[in-house]
Structures are given as C-alpha cells and as structure tokens.
Amino acid sequence: MAQQGAWRSVTEPTVTSRREEHLHEAFAKEYGTVGTHMARTPGRVNLIGDHTDYNGLPVMPMAIQRDLMLLCRARTDSTVRAANVDRQFAPRSFEIQQEIAPYDPGDWGNYLKAGGQALAQQYASLCGFDAMVSSDIPIASGLSSSTALMMASALMILDLNDVAISGPQLMEMMARAEHYVGTRGGGMDQAICLGAQPQSASRIDFNPMQLTPIPVPSSWRFVIASSLVQAEKSGAAREVYNSRTRECREALGLVTAACRVPDGTSYKDLMSNASACELLGVAERTLEATLVRRFRHVVTEASRVDDAEQAMRADDVNAFGRLMSESHASLRDDFEVSCEELDNLTEIATGSGASGARLSGAGFGGCMVALCTADDVDGVVDALTAEFYSGREFGEQLEDVLFIAEPSKGACVMEV
Ligand code: NG1
C-alpha cells in the first residue's frame, strides 16, 4: 500500500457532534448503507494579503473552526455520487475521467468535478465514492466554502485509492484544478485548507509553495462579520476578479519593460531587486491611472504581509491592526473590490475598539475581519450587532453572520 498523506488522521474523534450524527443518518437514508470514511476540510479567513497570491506574492490566512464534512463509502467503479444535507444542493453523479464536462456555472457539483478531473489527469483508474456532505461554512462569503468542498473530494479520492502525494505538490495541483470553475485564482485557499496548524495563522509563499505557521497571540481575537452581500464567484464577481488578474499581469509586463529586465520577470523578482517606492516611481511614469492603482495595491499589500508577520510575532496588536486597515483602504481605493457594506462594517469595528479591520478574500461582498483584544471583543460585537445587523434581514442566526474565528487545523481524512 502506498504511503498515506500527512492529512490522514489516526486518532478517532472522541465526541460525535449532532451535525455528524445527522450526516451519518442522511448517508444511510440516501444509500441504504453506512459511510466508512470522512474528510473534514476547514473554511479560512485571510488576515492580510489579498489579490497577491495569483501575482506570486505572499498571503497570511488562517483556517477557522467552521468546516465541511464529506462522509463516503468507496465504490469499485469510477462513479462519484454526492448528496448534500442542505437540500438546496441537488444530488450529483459523474465519472472520474480526464475530461469531465462541467455542470452549469455556479453548480456545486463543479467543485467535486474539479478535483476529480485534475487527479484523473495524473493517476489512472481511480475508483469513486458515494458521499454525503454537510458544511457550516457560510456560502459565498469569502470564507472558502467551495475550496473546502473541492479539497475534501480530492483528499477522499487520494485516500480511497491509496495515492501518495506530497502536501506542496497537492496544493499546487489543486490551485490549478479550481480554475475548472472559471476563476483564475491563486493558491492561497487550497494551501491553507491543507496545511493550516492549530492556534496559528500561516504565511504562504509561492513558487515554490511554502507555509510558515505563525502562532496567534492568545489575547488576539479576529471577529468575522458578513456584509450580507453574496460574493458569487460564478457570476459578475468572476468577471471582475478575472479582469483584475489580467490588469495585474499587464501592469507587470509594462513595468518590467520600463525597467529593462527580461520578459517573464515576476512581481517577486521585481520586489527583491528594487524597493516598493522605486517600483511605484516607475509605475507612475509608465502606466495609465487604473493600472498604477492596481500595481500600487499589489506591491504595497505584499510589503504589508511582511510587516504583519513581524507584528504578529512581536504580539503587537496595534501594528497588525493598522496594517489591516491600510490593506482595506488599498483594496477599496486602488483595487476597487470593496462595497458600501464592507466599508461600513470596518468603520463600525474600528470605531468600537478594534485595532484594525478589512475585507477578507476576493471582496465584492463577503466578509470583513476585524482584530481586537479579548478585552475589547464584546464591545466590537455589540456595536456590529446594533449598528449593522439590527434592522437588516438575514435568513440565518446571528452567529452564522457574526462570529469569532478560532485559528484551526487543516484538512484530515479518517476511517469512521
Ligand atoms: P475567495 O475569497 O475565496 O473568493 C479568491 C481566490 C484566492 C485569492 C482571493 C483574493 C479562489 C478559489 N480563491 O478567494 O486565491 O486570490 O480571492 O485574495 O479563486
């Protein structure tokens, strides 16, 4: 048997939650038998470094306690059948093969297909599974619920087929795999989903992929608040996201030409040979106004990730908070991916005791993350409740849209 991945958990969980019981019951009802293997994949919040990953520059996310569970039973053929305890997601079925035709854009089944197709292109004759999914990661909120689904399904295929692959290799493969759904994303979400360490955030560097865990000081609290605006990656937000990736590439090409460095020079190479200030000088002389703003966001955001890492290691909550607020201003003004609700949330948080606050993830809606100390957290949560959520419609309970993120561990697969 091939060596199992680092995500294979040998210790059985001792407490079975109500959610797990419900998942097992739903599996038995759907398939008339019991599930034998479980993959758990966390959501994530990005603390700083947005729209840098696809430019090969660092990010600093952490996994959160909200997760997705995929309960499975192996099949002897290559079929995947998947149902979801949330019945808004209709059952799906397909064959694992090298070219899998996608469902309509936005269909949840595309995230199952994305991982399956990428793995089939590397490994022959993979067997599939029957699965039931349960997730408490808020959907379309910039908390990576879709990556959690793709990763859970990919890990399950690897585990059931005894395929060995290194963590960094799998992270890179899955980052490319998710392009299947049409978004030209970077590798942050797949990497943190797999590699997160408990009680820690991670600095992630790309080319080559490297995760560096940074312990979160015990008195720090990250408050997550949904803007209640759905960041639908399958719709208009996808077009805006992809247009930002094009603009960043175009800006890079023009700046490298102006600097007379070889074609194909990356943002990372540029930044290791010149200061952000020098590069901005070149950008201002070379690029039209929109591209100057995009370029400025990318290089200043990468510097903020370096500074934020130092601030977290030094337990300097005010410095980290200030960097988060600067990041928000840059995403709002230079990258133009914020919205009124996210701006409003950051103002309420910083006005009620948070050291800093920013949108998290791609933007266009989704969540805000605010940093405060354990002493200030109640004041911040109360202010957000009173000034943002009261009087607004939200279908879920308040704790589904406003909660404290606990730095959590990455994905695991186990026998149940
Ligand atoms: P979210 O927030 O999940 O839409 C997206 C990309 C990331 C990264 C961020 C912006 C995917 C799967 N994820 O995340 O790679 O570019 O936007 O920092 O496309």
Side-chain angles (χ1 to χ4, degrees), residues 44 50-51 53-54 142 147 178 183 185-186 188-189 233 241 361-362:
R44 65 101 181 98
D50 268 311
H51 294 276
D53 62 351
Y54 54 80
T147 297
E178 202 165 329
T183 314
M188 161 167 66
D189 301 347
K233 291 274 279 308
Y241 183 93

Side-chain angles (χ1 to χ4, degrees), residues 3-45:
Q3 191 198 342
Q4 278 161 335
W7 42 88
R8 179 49 114 97
S9 170
V10 282
T11 46
E12 297 296 321
T14 44
V15 184
T16 306
S17 66
R18 181 67 203 110
R19 209 176 119 221
E20 272 173 82
E21 279 170 19
H22 183 213
L23 179 61
H24 282 277
E25 286 157 15
F27 187 99
K29 197 162 165 217
E30 183 80 18
Y31 301 109
T33 180
V34 293
T36 57
H37 289 70
M38 171 98 91
R40 290 188 87 123
T41 45
R44 65 101 181 98
V45 60

Side-chain angles (χ1 to χ4, degrees), residues 230-267:
Q230 294 238 321
E232 277 300 351
K233 291 274 279 308
S234 52
R238 179 173 78 183
E239 290 317 309
V240 185
Y241 183 93
N242 288 343
S243 76
R244 293 291 183 278
T245 68
R246 282 196 300 275
E247 288 166 345
C248 291
R249 264 200 315 278
E250 192 185 338
L252 173 66
L254 293 168
V255 170
T256 50
C259 292
R260 297 180 202 289
V261 290
D263 252 12
T265 298
S266 64
Y267 273 101

